[in-house]
Each structure stands twice: as C-alpha cells, then as structure tokens.
Amino acid sequence: DAGVTQSPTHLIKTRGQQVTLRCSPKSGHDTVSWYQQALGQGPQFIFQYYEEEERQRGNFPDRFSGHQYPNYSSELNVNALLLGDSALYLCASSRDRYQETQYFGPGTRLLVL
Amino acid sequence: AQSVTQLGSHVSVSEGALVLLRCNYSSSVPPYLFWYVQYPNQGLQLLLKYTSAATLVKGINGFEAEFKKSETSFHLTKPSAHMSDAAEYFCAVSDRASGGINYKLTFGKGTLLTVNP
C-alpha cells in the first residue's frame, strides 16, 4: 500500500514565477492538507481540501491556492513567488473521520532565487 | 487560538540514557495531541497521539508520552536512547471542529535530538 506521494521532490524557481506541487493521498484517504515548513521551523498549515472544496485555511495570502480532484489527489499552486516562499512543502492525507491521523508525504523542497 | 511550545530546540543525550522532550500546549477545548518525528530530508512520521483515552500513550520505537491536563503538558520520553533516534521531533495539537473531525495541526518549532555514542 503506497503512502502519500508528492512530486516533484525538488524545484528551483525565480522570483515572480508560478509553481504547482502535486500530492497523491494514501489509499482510502479523502482529505488532503498542505503545510509549509521553513528551514528550522515547524510546519505551518496552509489549507485543507475535502470533497474538492477548501475546508479550512491558514494565515497564507491568496497567492497560495489549491485544488482537489475527484480521485482525491491535490495540487498546491503558488503565484508571484517570493524569496520567502523557499521551504519544504508537505502534503498530509487523512480520512474524514473522528480522531483520524494525518499521514505526511516526503515533501517538495522549493528554492526561490 | 491553539499553540504549542517545545522547550529546548536541541537536546543531546548519550546512547542508553533517558530521552525527555518537553511540550506544552494551550487550547480552549480538550485537545488532540501528537508527536511526529522527522529524519533528515524526509517527511513527518507519527510517533504517537493522544485522543482523550488513556493519559499515558505508547507509540512506536519505544516512545511514550503522558498527557497532564493540570500542567498542559505532553512530554515525550524513551527510557534508553538509541543512535537511530537522532532526528527532529515535533509536538502538535489538532484544531478540532465541534463535530470532532480533524482539521489543521498546529506544530511546535521542533526539538533536534542528538544521540552520542
């Protein structure tokens, strides 16, 4: 049983560009959350998708947007990249059930130059 | 708003010694609490979670944590450290909606554990 997968593993972009990161949830999971982990920090919640809708959002600007597909996979899009967007982006999946655990993927490391 | 404080950004122990990683939380409702471990260049792996059942929670790799409501703490312990335990450890609290469904996790800043031979 495959766990949470993310692509690409690494990415280098320049300021002002746009980026799309992808996530496939663990089998049987229907909820996807995205987190940003800056160097030396804990992960920060970006948003969560369930039933193809954004259910909850953290304190991130509108440059960060997402999408969830009918097969539960998800994308994170970041527009107008800033140097401060350089981070490890983590995807987590879970079942939308009581006390369910979020399982994390290996992350995509984004470097903005 | 919920928050997590991890005391000590870096903890160093000798192999075979007790591991104690500290976590304090603030929450307006009974929390769900988690410890995750992150090895270099990897994602987060769940060690254990507290969901209002037993206050002493046992996890993987010999780790356990005790929920103490009076102290708003959820410290992680392991009786005997192994070299393979060297990693970064994150405490997290779940922001539960009234229906009890997991929503976002709020993480502490992490504690880097080094194990000396």
Side-chain angles (χ1 to χ4, degrees):
Chain A
D1 177 27
V4 180
T5 60
Q6 294 186 242
S7 63
T9 55
H10 295 81
L11 206 50
I12 300 175
K13 293 286 188 179
T14 56
R15 281 177 296 176
Q17 285 190 311
Q18 179 265 343
V19 68
T20 297
L21 311 181
R22 294 176 175 82
C23 171
S24 291
K26 187 176 169 67
S27 178
H29 287 188
D30 55 12
T31 303
V32 173
S33 304
W34 287 92
Y35 293 82
Q36 180 195 65
Q37 185 179 18
L39 201 60
Q41 300 294 318
Q44 298 286 320
F45 176 77
I46 303 174
F47 42 55
Q48 184 179 87
Y49 275 82
Y50 172 67
E51 292 188 340
E52 303 179 48
E53 297 285 335
E54 183 185 292
R55 174 159 68 179
Q56 190 178 20
R57 188 179 183 91
N59 188 25
F60 279 80
D62 291 344
R63 298 187 297 109
F64 289 77
S65 64
H67 188 78
Q68 185 179 35
Y69 294 93
N71 67 353
Y72 308 119
S73 66
S74 177
E75 291 180 351
L76 165 65
N77 301 293
V78 187
N79 294 321
L81 284 167
L82 303 174
L83 296 180
D85 295 332
S86 295
L88 179 68
Y89 288 85
L90 295 164
C91 170
S93 74
S94 58
R95 294 182 297 179
D96 189 48
R97 298 183 189 177
Y98 189 59
Q99 298 181 359
E100 282 295 316
T101 298
Q102 293 187 26
Y103 292 87
F104 284 80
T108 294
R109 188 162 297 280
L110 172 65
L111 177 61
V112 182
L113 301 177
Chain B
Q2 298 184 121
S3 66
V4 172
T5 301
Q6 291 185 241
L7 299 176
S9 59
H10 187 196
V11 170
S12 182
V13 300
S14 298
E15 192 172 18
L18 171 72
V19 175
L20 171 60
L21 304 182
R22 301 177 187 273
C23 172
N24 289 87
Y25 69 92
S26 68
S27 174
S28 58
V29 297
Y32 292 161
L33 294 160
F34 304 80
W35 276 100
Y36 283 87
V37 61
Q38 186 175 37
Y39 297 99
N41 300 314
Q42 294 188 26
L44 301 176
Q45 180 183 4
L46 179 71
L47 277 177
L48 50 81
K49 66 178 182 181
Y50 167 77
T51 55
S52 73
T55 57
L56 182 62
V57 182
K58 294 187 183 297
I60 62 172
N61 302 336
F63 284 93
E64 62 182 35
E66 186 172 8
F67 172 69
K68 291 187 177 181
K69 184 178 179 180
S70 61
E71 298 178 7
T72 61
S73 69
F74 190 58
H75 301 330
L76 182 70
T77 60
K78 182 174 181 178
S80 177
H82 192 273
M83 297 294 289
S84 62
D85 294 327
E88 185 134 31
Y89 292 79
F90 292 95
C91 182
V93 61
S94 177
D95 181 359
R96 288 187 296 139
S98 59
I101 300 298
N102 282 336
Y103 280 72
K104 70 176 185 181
L105 293 173
T106 299
F107 286 86
K109 292 187 175 181
T111 298
L112 180 65
L113 175 67
T114 57
V115 181
N116 304 307

